Structures are given as structure tokens and as C-alpha cells.
């Protein structure tokens, strides 16, 4: 894959994180979308894809390595978002306060950038749907698309 597609994937992943922060700060349909621990972990996945793709675009000699790291980040995101979607459909499985929240909120990065990494919401909270899907469902869709694109382009023969 050439440099431009990596930049597009990086910008797209970063824009999804920006959209999540906007939902958190501004809300939607008069509801504030406080991030839960799984939401924060999904943001980490998107940032992993964004940074890996940016490095793949900038360092051609290590492109395959960073492409692989981007695939790992997208796969991680699919797993976290998939668990989050499962939790939404099985709310009785949630105990309310997630022990993961305490761990995430004690991380240094959560203290330095609380607007991005502090978990305040409940993972099983039903928030207003956006275009028919809950935010974790959208996240699962986007992570799956990112992973599929990265997998296809990883194994595609480069046209030099």
C-alpha cells in the first residue's frame, strides 16, 4: 500500500476518536455520552490504528511492521467492541460499577488527559441510537471495516 491510503486510514481513525469526544462533551439528543471503560479501551484501539498507519506512511522501510501493528490494534478493537455489544444485549451480566473503571482511571494518561481517557459511564447503559445503531455497534462496524481493509491490503501484491 502506498503512503496516501495509510494517511487516510490514520485520519479516519483519529476522526472517530474526535467524534467520540464530541459526543462526550456536547451529547446527542440532550444526553451526555459519558465514556465507560470499554469505550476508553476502544479509543485506545482507534489511536493504535491511527498512530500505526501514520508511522507506516512516514517510515517506508518499516511499513509492513506498522501495517501489522495497525491490524493488531484493529483486531483488538473488534474484540473490545464485540464484548461491549454483547454486554449491551445482556445487561444482567453487568454488575454496575466495572472494576476495570478503577484501573483505567488510575492510569497516568487518564489523569493527564481526562477528557479523552477517563471512564465515567456504565458499559451496559442504553444511550440514544445514532442512525439506528448504538455507539458500540458503530464502533464494531468501523473496527471490522478497518481490519478488513488492513488485512486485504497486507496480503495484496504491491505494484511497484
Amino acid at each position: 500500500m502506498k503512503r496516501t491510503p495509510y494517511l487516510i486510514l490514520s485520519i479516519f481513525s483519529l476522526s472517530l476518536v474526535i467524534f467520540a469526544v464530541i459526543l462526550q462533551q456536547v451529547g446527542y439528543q440532550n444526553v451526555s455520552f459519558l465514556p465507560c471503560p470499554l469505550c476508553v479501551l476502544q479509543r485506545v484501539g482507534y489511536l493504535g490504528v491511527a498512530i500505526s498507519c501514520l508511522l507506516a506512511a512516514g517510515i517506508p522501510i518499516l511499513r509492513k511492521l506498522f501495517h501489522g501493528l495497525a491490524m493488531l490494534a484493529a483486531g483488538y478493537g473488534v474484540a473490545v467492541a464485540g464484548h461491549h455489544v454483547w454486554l449491551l444485549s445482556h445487561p444482567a451480566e453487568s454488575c454496575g460499577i466495572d472494576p476495570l473503571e478503577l484501573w483505567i482511571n488510575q492510569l497516568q494518561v487518564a489523569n493527564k488527559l481526562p477528557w479523552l481517557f477517563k471512564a465515567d459511564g456504565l458499559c451496559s447503559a442504553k444511550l440514544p441510537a445514532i442512525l439506528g445503531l448504538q455507539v458500540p455497534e458503530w464502533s464494531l462496524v468501523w473496527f471490522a471495516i478497518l481490519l478488513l481493509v488492513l488485512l486485504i491490503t497486507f496480503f495484496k501484491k504491491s505494484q511497484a
Side-chain angles (χ1 to χ4, degrees):
M1 196 161 54
K2 300 287 184 198
R3 183 174 191 234
T4 303
Y6 285 115
L7 292 174
I8 291 170
L9 289 173
S10 182
I11 291 168
F12 180 73
S13 296
L14 190 57
S15 69
L16 290 171
V17 174
I18 292 168
F19 181 70
V21 172
I22 290 170
L23 278 177
Q24 173 186 335
Q25 299 297 324
V26 177
Y28 175 70
Q29 294 182 349
N30 296 322
V31 176
S32 181
F33 281 59
L34 295 175
C36 71
L38 293 175
C39 296
V40 171
L41 293 177
Q42 289 169 64
R43 290 178 184 186
V44 170
Y46 284 120
L47 291 172
V49 172
I51 291 168
S52 296
C53 285
L54 187 63
L55 291 171
I59 308 172
I61 195 150
L62 296 175
R63 188 164 283 164
K64 285 286 190 189
L65 170 69
F66 291 124
H67 192 124
L69 290 174
M71 287 190 304
L72 283 175
Y76 157 85
V78 165
V80 173
H83 178 66
H84 199 171
V85 168
W86 179 86
L87 194 59
L88 284 177
S89 62
H90 298 86
E93 300 296 323
S94 178
C95 62
I97 295 181
D98 193 330
L100 194 56
E101 181 177 333
L102 297 172
W103 179 77
I104 288 173
N105 288 340
Q106 289 177 355
L107 293 174
Q108 197 69 329
V109 71
N111 293 324
K112 299 291 184 193
L113 300 170
W115 54 271
L116 184 60
F117 293 112
K118 187 168 192 244
D120 290 326
L122 295 173
C123 293
S124 59
K126 284 278 192 176
L127 298 169
I130 299 172
L131 300 175
L133 293 176
Q134 296 284 318
V135 171
E137 294 168 328
W138 276 115
S139 187
L140 180 58
V141 166
W142 291 124
F143 271 124
I145 290 170
L146 285 168
L147 181 58
L148 189 61
V149 167
L150 288 164
L151 279 169
I152 289 170
T153 55
F154 188 78
F155 293 109
K156 186 179 176 184
K157 299 261 188 222
S158 67
Q159 300 162 345

